[in-house]
Amino acid sequence: MAITSMGVIFAVVWFMTLFVVLPLGAKSQREDGDVAVGTPASAPSNPQMRRKFKITTIAAFLISVPIILVINYQLITVDMIDLFKRFGPDS
């Protein structure tokens, strides 16, 4: 597996993980009782993006390493997933 493929897998997992982590612990300005002028009341009062990026990076690393290892060492191949070949009509 090329290094670019590993980077792509990590990037996809990172962004998917980010969308899971973003709403965790979010508190809206309405809940906080301090709505800034010109912003919606549903906007986060303290988004803590640096903390969420760190959590996302660690989680994405822990998720993507096993995926890369499975692909690299061919623990699961396309032939194992080809259900039509397994359960399809006999030729």
Side-chain angles (χ1 to χ4, degrees):
M1 173 181 285
I3 192 77
T4 53
S5 301
M6 291 181 205
V8 168
I9 290 172
F10 180 76
V12 169
V13 171
W14 192 89
F15 276 102
M16 290 176 62
T17 308
L18 177 66
F19 291 133
V20 171
V21 170
L22 274 177
L24 298 178
K27 195 171 186 183
S28 70
Q29 292 180 13
R30 180 182 303 125
E31 292 171 344
D32 218 16
D34 184 28
V35 179
V37 178
T39 62
S42 60
S45 59
N46 185 9
Q48 302 175 347
M49 293 305 292
R50 185 173 305 217
R51 179 175 174 262
K52 290 182 181 184
F53 282 168
K54 287 179 185 178
I55 292 170
T56 300
T57 303
I58 292 168
F61 180 78
L62 294 175
I63 294 169
S64 62
V65 165
I67 292 171
I68 291 170
L69 290 176
V70 164
I71 293 171
N72 219 11
Y73 290 110
Q74 297 179 354
L75 300 175
I76 298 175
T77 62
V78 176
D79 292 333
M80 292 178 187
I81 303 172
D82 190 6
L83 297 179
F84 187 72
K85 188 188 292 184
R86 285 187 176 191
F87 302 116
D90 293 331
S91 299

